Amino acid sequence: MGSEKTLPNLLAERAAKVGHEVALRQKYLGIWNEITWDDYFSKVEQLSIYLSENLEFLPDEKLAIIGENRPQWLYAQMAAQSLGGVSVGIYQESLPEQIVYYLNDCKARIVVVEDQEQVDKLLEIEKQIPLVEYIIFYNKQGMRHYNHPKLLEFDEVLATGASLLKDRSGFLLYNTKHLFGDDHAVIAYSAATTGNPKGVVLTHSNLIEAAKNLLQVDKMEEKDDYFSFLPLSWVHEQVVSIVIPLTTGIVINFPEKPHTVIGDLREIGPQTLLAPPRVYQTLMSNFTIRMEGASWFKKRVFQTFKKYGEKVARAKLDKQQISSWDKFMYQIGDIFVFSAIRDHFGFSRTKRAYVAGAALQSEAFYFFHSIGVNLKQTYGGTELSGIAFVQSDEEIKVNSSGVPLPNTEVRIGENGAVYVKNKAIFAQYLNEKDQKLMDDGWITLGDCGRIGEDGHLYILDRLEDIITNRNDKHIYPRIVENKLKASPYIQEAVCFGKDKAYVTAILNIDLNSVGRWADKQRIVYTEYSDLARNPQVIKFIEQQVTGLMNQVPPYARVKKFSILHKQFTADDGELTRTLKVRRKFIEDKYQMLINGMYSDTEEVTIAGLEIESVEGVSLQVIHLKTEQEVA
Amino acid sequence: MESILEIEKMSLQFGGVKALDDVSFHIVKGEIFSLIGPNGAGKTSMLNCISGLYQPTTGSIRYKGKEIVNMKPYNRTKLGIARAFQNIALFAHMSVLDNLKLGRHTLMRSGPLSGGLYVGKASKEEIKHRKKVEEVIEFLELQDIRHTPVGTLPYGLQKRVEVGRALALGPELILLDEPMAGMNNSEKDLMARFILDMHEVMDTTVVLIEHDLGIVMNLSDHIAVLDFGKCIGFGTPDDIQKNPDVIKAYIGEETVI
């Protein structure tokens, strides 16, 4: 075995070496409760023996987990893996029919869930998931009157496990000896911007390799803090929350509740942070809004130092020269303003904040670097065991997705697709029919990009999304959309224009910032749909779009757009669970609206979408006037 | 079934006005009990008598078999009777946490000196009480606003904190005066769930004044109906719905045109 490292092996090693040190923290009843490596190990052992003895869990069997980020999530995964099993994380917001798909696809017999909400969901679809025999829940609240035969309570399971262990000491250690690095460890479902999610099978070696590669670029110290708040079913989060602690000893902190994340983040002040662009955008836009409402003095002080912050950010990101005076003023600003802002966000100790899942727009990049947060763009995916490209601390470029991690090769295919090769690449898809992307160890995630002379990867867009307009010009919708999203008032934008004469867009406004603007203009509104259809708001957004489109080459400019009456949501299928836009779905769903934007009409009535719109919702099509000269 | 509170022949008179007139009912331990009736029927007066703000003119109130009619309000609190007010009675500038801790003030033993210096028993006591308060915060899902001043919270949340303040006492009997007034439907649903949980998880006996009859009928084990100070109905929700006097009080008398 020797080099055969597996996650349970690493856990056993760590527990033996530094058993009394803190491994995890969970805030409960207002207090950060610490869990040592010994506790972690023994909980896993208790659960593991129970699964094996009482539930007859077999090697290579799948254990599904649905819940928020909690220590129990980790125990469950590790227990399954220690028996040679595979854990399958399922997004906790998944709708019942999505859960039916996941559970039947991975054929899980045992499901570990958070609470009453998830139990209710599973019992509701009980008939459709005949393979599920046991449901283990770990939050007892509201569960007193449930006595369904499939239900088991986590703490009771652990207690039974503990008594089973009395005559079977060394159970876990014995089992881990029979594990191999090539054993399947995790099934992660890829976000699937098109079609059904695909189960991606990752081995222990894959995950450990991904962690190792990342750690070669960014060193993480023992007892560094990490704040785990993104779904653990997302492989990026898995690698940092589960694998990296095993190899480095960083401490993972779990928030009290999803709605306390902001406050808890500040209390922890983690050294490392990982989040998708939307989190950073929200933080930035909240800050902008708070600043607008601040006192005259505070505003004045911030404005004074902001320009030095921007200069320093540009110096860092664009390699511009900077005078010593500016540097000096930045130092002063750092003491009085920037350190306070960082502290407010919970970034005061942050060595690096990774942007994962998609590209962050450049304004946010400059903003965070101006206040001294080391924001780094990454590129990766489920099939690559998370992060495969990252910007190094010395070379952060706004539009790049970073350089390949050590031991990672990259090439650009003939069609412009980015191909990656390393040892962290997944073993296989769960279903045979999905095996198509692999090519001699190289894999593409379907993104199109280029490699700059600086060795950085620049992602242009998804291959399938590139728009070829009537004049055979290539338009990368993501770039146009990111331009639109640079406005704090536009939350989401989806562009269209395949084989057409011009580009159109469907927009979601940002309820917070537009709402605030509307308050100031004394516009009365009730909810999103009302605000989004207000004539003054439409006029205001039109000005925003017009201004932004001047920065885009004429052929790619949005000529007509429409503000949707509702926000895109994952529940309605318009976004993936990681909040990425599902373009094809949106295109089909709002076909009428898109057609309207390619006709002369100024108002489109779309019907039959939701209950709300029994009689149809009429949406205005806005034709940008400045465009006429160009087009 | 064991009664936790018995009201017998109770009357309350303000000068010539009879706010409560010869009212008798009893509340069973561990149930949800609702007091309903039109405006001015005497519901809040009844709660005031139970919590000790008003002294009934005649009659008796027995709590777990013990006469409490002459007892001071703070002594009743010590027996385990807590109350949430209809008009929010919180300290607007204090945080949610502090308001809830204040709810446990009568249970604190340490003096100003040891408390102020946070030495000896005082610190242990503080930890113990903080734990209880945190359980209430967890229960009512107030974690994210723990340190927010109450005055800046929206109305629905202030109501929840108000209930929390009463609950922090760890009462056996909790009196809730219109906890759902002014709430929208989803807020009402949430509050109804909390009330059910209080009764199921914490084993608290709940006395509820509420105007939303749908909720009252769904939640309550027993209901008493007051009208012009008189108890015109007392029984299970089914009994009450069939009671002709109650129907008359709510819908009015059938008139011949």
Side-chain angles (χ1 to χ4, degrees), chain A residues 284-295 299 344 516:
Chain A
M284 185 177 82
S285 101
N286 284 350
F287 174 80
T288 318
I289 291 168
R290 286 282 294 272
M291 209 62 228
E292 274 172 26
S295 68
K299 262 192 226 171
H344 182 82
R516 227 183 142 82

Side-chain angles (χ1 to χ4, degrees), chain A residues 5-265:
Chain A
K5 293 249 189 260
T6 62
L7 303 183
N9 271 325
L10 290 170
L11 174 65
E13 270 174 32
R14 202 147 266 284
K17 210 166 65 186
V18 288
H20 295 295
E21 303 208 331
V22 179
L24 314 166
R25 272 190 217 103
Q26 165 73 63
K27 195 175 185 190
Y28 179 63
L29 296 185
I31 289 171
W32 289 96
N33 296 283
E34 297 184 335
I35 296 161
T36 64
W37 288 101
D38 275 340
D39 299 336
Y40 188 173
F41 182 84
S42 55
K43 293 277 175 16
V44 171
E45 190 168 34
Q46 289 160 11
L47 181 58
S48 154
I49 195 166
Y50 187 92
L51 289 178
S52 160
E53 299 288 306
N54 291 23
L55 307 183
E56 284 142 13
F57 190 83
L58 297 170
D60 210 37
E61 190 176 329
K62 319 293 184 281
L63 175 92
I65 309 172
I66 313 174
E68 285 156 22
N69 299 16
R70 297 256 173 266
Q72 286 89 338
W73 215 107
L74 273 55
Y75 304 155
Q77 160 152 345
M78 207 59 93
Q81 289 170 346
S82 73
L83 298 167
V86 186
S87 83
V88 187
I90 295 175
Y91 290 105
Q92 67 264 33
E93 295 101 353
S94 302
L95 301 173
E97 56 267 30
Q98 291 166 329
I99 293 183
V100 170
Y101 170 81
Y102 289 127
L103 290 179
N104 289 335
D105 190 57
C106 72
K107 305 193 172 50
R109 196 169 57 92
I110 304 169
V111 189
V112 175
V113 301
E114 172 107 15
D115 55 4
Q116 189 185 12
E117 183 190 341
Q118 305 295 347
V119 170
D120 286 347
K121 240 193 268 183
L122 290 179
L123 294 182
E124 181 191 327
I125 53 173
E126 199 186 346
K127 295 242 158 51
Q128 292 149 272
I129 45 171
L131 297 171
V132 174
E133 287 173 31
Y134 299 102
I135 300 167
I136 307 176
F137 61 91
Y138 48 81
N139 183 342
K140 280 181 279 192
Q141 196 169 15
M143 296 294 301
R144 290 219 314 186
H145 299 296
Y146 286 64
N147 43 20
H148 193 281
K150 286 181 186 173
L151 292 178
L152 294 167
E153 202 229 303
F154 201 87
D155 285 339
E156 283 170 17
V157 164
L158 290 188
T160 317
S163 61
L164 287 172
L165 279 172
K166 281 198 184 112
D167 4 289
R168 297 283 301 276
S169 62
F171 176 83
L172 186 58
L173 281 177
Y174 175 79
N175 273 314
T176 54
K177 291 210 177 85
H178 297 89
L179 301 176
F180 295 94
D182 291 345
D183 287 349
H184 296 170
V186 165
I187 292 173
Y189 278 90
S190 65
T193 43
T194 46
N196 267 332
K198 290 193 285 269
V200 174
V201 183
L202 299 160
T203 65
H204 292 275
S205 305
N206 291 153
L207 294 167
I208 294 169
E209 177 79 12
K212 203 178 80 193
N213 291 344
L214 182 62
L215 288 168
Q216 284 188 36
V217 181
D218 288 321
K219 207 164 160 343
M220 299 187 199
E221 309 273 344
E222 202 163 18
K223 298 200 183 96
D224 268 8
D225 280 303
Y226 175 76
F227 188 65
S228 172
F229 68 105
L230 294 166
L232 280 164
S233 33
W234 191 39
V235 76
H236 290 75
E237 187 66 41
Q238 276 264 341
V239 171
V240 189
S241 283
I242 299 181
V243 189
I244 291 185
L246 294 172
T247 60
T248 62
I250 62 168
V251 180
I252 305 303
N253 299 278
F254 296 105
E256 191 166 19
K257 283 276 144 80
H259 56 261
T260 61
V261 162
I262 302 257
D264 294 346
L265 172 66

Side-chain angles (χ1 to χ4, degrees), chain A residues 363-376:
Chain A
E363 279 73 10
F365 242 95
Y366 284 114
F367 170 75
F368 281 101
H369 279 278
S370 79
I371 60 164
V373 178
N374 185 25
L375 202 67
K376 309 213 287 184

